Amino acid sequence: MAGLYIHIPFCRRKCHYCNFYSLASVKYFDKFVDALQKEIKQRAHELDEPLQSIYFGGGTPSMLEERHLSRIMHTIFSHFTILQDAEITFEVNPEDITEAGLQSFHNHHINRLSLGIQSFYDRELQYLNRIHSAQTAISAVELAQKKGFHNISIDLIYGLPNATAKSWENNLEQVFKLNVPHLSCYALTVEPQTALARFIEKGQLENVSDEAFEKQFEILIKKTEKLGYQQYEISNFCRDNFYAVHNTNYWFGKKYLGLGPSAHSFDGTTRQWNVAHLKKYVDSVNNGQVSAESETLTLIDHYNEFVMMRLRTQWGVDSSLISKRFGQKMGAHFTSIASKYLKSGHLKKSGTIIRLSEKGKFISDGIIADLFFTEEQD
Ligand code: SF4
């Protein structure tokens, strides 16, 4: 079973923190949709398994007009085998949600919405340069539910300098009050080359702080548990088994095809990423082959990805598999590093499965980096 990712590279305006590939202009929208349809036809053969999930991300997929969505969906459905119960997710910005748009999503088999809300506080939304207001976000969720969408995910961002422990707690409570079954929470990171990085450098916006992150991450873990959400991945929470199928398949190393500028693909051994430039993307597809780079994963890369992806999830790492899959050296390395963190209580073991403990979740990046194997150790 495989996944399909479609990257829609347009936004109404850029959020200060964003480093995803997207353009705040719709100049090439029609040319992009033409090229995307061509890329679907050119590359559908690369997946030899039926699709268990389709994910429209970006950028802002909800900027697609119905005529665009119809053409894209028609091309996807005529070139892939899609499982009857496939998860089809559409990323939507709250300001784009309308009754007509929701009806169009139903008509085009979309059965899961991922809403980029980020915060239910206007002052926090302004810091991030989001277009919507807190009230627009609430109304968008309510309208989507009224129109029959219950498999909804909300994205929130924590660690904002103008957030408080209370506002962060209230943000989480608001998701619960809205009866939304899935939540993705990301720490605000100041990426180089973003407007946020420039504003902070010039002293026009307040910088983020490690203490705020730690405090808000702690609140996140405690509060979500209290509200009945299960932390099934370090940044992802759900109730009633509303796991995100598409993302879970990434963490389990399943194959996926990524189409559109900057989209990544993985066929089990090779990772490929399309050019992150709209004009180059369109021209290359029109010339018969998308401009892309690729790398073939070594055994060490496979081990590092396996450890990183699994340890971030509730399913953990099955330590009995490491030597069998990756050989004695990596098996011994894993056992030796893991035992150090088992002793310190940052990892816990149940049978052969090793997982992050509650306190380990606070330093997960460091533990994972320590478990990595390098060529020098080979
Ligand atoms: S809407 Fe999403 S993709 Fe677009 S600029 Fe904002 S964060 Fe980036």
Side-chain angles (χ1 to χ4, degrees):
M1 249 87 76
L4 177 67
Y5 173 79
I6 304 284
H7 190 82
I8 308 296
F10 302 100
C11 288
R12 297 195 194 282
R13 76 176 184 214
K14 282 300 274 186
C15 302
H16 287 338
Y17 58 97
C18 178
N19 74 339
F20 295 122
Y21 179 66
S22 73
L23 302 169
S25 149
V26 288
K27 205 167 141 203
Y28 289 103
F29 222 121
D30 286 307
K31 285 198 174 94
F32 161 72
V33 175
D34 291 343
L36 181 63
Q37 283 184 284
K38 281 187 192 157
E39 196 193 6
I40 295 169
K41 292 175 196 168
Q42 287 165 7
R43 298 187 58 202
H45 69 92
E46 292 179 29
L47 279 186
D48 50 8
E49 296 171 20
L51 294 181
Q52 193 183 14
S53 64
I54 303 175
Y55 192 101
F56 286 83
T60 307
S62 49
M63 282 175 69
L64 284 174
E65 291 173 28
E66 179 159 24
R67 66 193 171 97
H68 296 134
L69 184 57
S70 293
R71 282 169 50 199
I72 295 167
M73 279 305 204
H74 178 75
T75 315
I76 292 174
F77 275 74
S78 34
H79 286 81
F80 291 94
T81 306
I82 301 166
L83 294 181
Q84 195 70 38
D85 60 349
E87 175 193 270
I88 306 184
T89 304
F90 211 73
E91 280 184 0
V92 194
N93 280 354
E95 67 273 13
D96 292 333
I97 291 215
T98 61
E99 285 202 25
L102 291 162
Q103 188 52 52
S104 166
F105 296 158
H106 277 305
N107 296 345
H108 292 97
H109 315 285
I110 289 157
N111 51 29
R112 182 173 184 270
L113 299 181
S114 172
L115 270 86
I117 288 180
Q118 320 310 350
S119 169
F120 291 99
Y121 280 84
D122 287 340
R123 63 164 195 273
E124 296 176 11
L125 292 167
Q126 279 152 17
Y127 177 93
L128 298 169
N129 202 35
R130 299 293 304 198
I131 293 175
H132 65 272
S133 66
Q135 189 49 53
T136 310
I138 292 171
S139 305
V141 175
E142 288 172 346
L143 184 60
Q145 288 168 330
K146 195 171 141 210
K147 292 290 153 194
F149 283 95
H150 298 292
N151 193 352
I152 293 180
S153 178
I154 285 181
D155 282 359
L156 293 180
I157 295 184
Y158 63 94
L160 274 70
N162 63 353
T164 61
K166 193 68 201 148
S167 72
W168 177 232
E169 239 181 88
N170 288 346
N171 271 326
L172 297 168
E173 252 167 39
Q174 184 64 65
V175 176
F176 176 77
K177 279 191 211 146
L178 286 167
N179 198 21
V180 165
H182 191 279
L183 175 63
S184 298
C185 296
Y186 301 101
L188 178 66
T189 40
V190 185
E191 301 287 352
Q193 317 289 340
T194 58
L196 184 59
R198 284 194 299 277
F199 287 135
I200 289 175
E201 204 180 284
K202 287 186 195 159
Q204 290 165 335
L205 281 181
E206 204 183 325
N207 204 349
V208 298
S209 88
D210 288 347
E211 279 153 60
F213 280 135
E214 212 168 291
K215 181 75 200 142
Q216 290 182 33
F217 187 62
E218 189 184 345
I219 292 171
L220 172 63
I221 292 181
K222 288 194 178 143
K223 190 77 188 172
T224 45
E225 194 184 355
K226 209 164 151 200
L227 297 172
Y229 290 88
Q230 183 186 356
Q231 187 179 23
Y232 71 103
E233 197 265 353
I234 207 102
S235 308
N236 286 279
F237 304 78
C238 74
R239 292 195 320 200
D240 308 323
N241 298 325
F242 273 86
Y243 303 107
V245 173
H246 190 79
N247 287 347
T248 303
N249 284 346
Y250 283 158
W251 306 323
F252 276 79
K254 300 242 179 105
K255 295 179 185 176
Y256 57 88
L257 187 63
L259 307 177
S262 82
H264 286 223
S265 305
F266 180 59
D267 67 2
T269 46
T270 301
R271 200 170 288 297
Q272 176 176 317
W273 52 100
N274 287 357
V275 63
H277 188 288
L278 185 57
K279 188 166 184 314
K280 285 183 190 160
Y281 167 79
V282 169
D283 289 346
S284 65
V285 172
N286 286 339
N287 287 331
Q289 187 166 18
V290 67
S291 169
E293 288 179 65
S294 65
E295 65 169 354
T296 299
L297 301 192
T298 63
L299 190 64
I300 294 177
D301 294 332
H302 276 290
Y303 160 85
N304 288 340
E305 287 213 353
F306 177 83
V307 169
M308 176 177 70
M309 305 269 205
R310 294 290 176 89
L311 205 59
R312 287 176 60 93
T313 71
Q314 65 171 8
W315 297 284
V317 175
D318 186 344
S319 54
S320 70
L321 288 179
I322 303 272
S323 298
K324 278 187 216 147
R325 277 210 194 172
F326 307 105
Q328 284 305 322
K329 268 191 200 164
M330 281 181 252
H333 170 76
F334 181 85
T335 308
S336 128
I337 303 292
S339 62
K340 182 173 93 183
Y341 288 107
L342 284 165
K343 262 189 216 134
S344 65
H346 291 93
L347 291 178
K348 56 185 185 182
K349 195 171 184 186
S350 150
T352 57
I353 308 294
I354 292 186
R355 297 183 177 87
L356 290 168
S357 67
E358 289 305 291
K359 83 174 187 179
K361 287 175 186 170
F362 286 83
I363 56 159
S364 61
D365 287 346
I367 298 174
I368 289 166
D370 217 3
L371 287 164
F372 276 176
F373 196 80
T374 60
E375 275 176 28
E376 292 77 57
Q377 290 165 309
D378 199 8

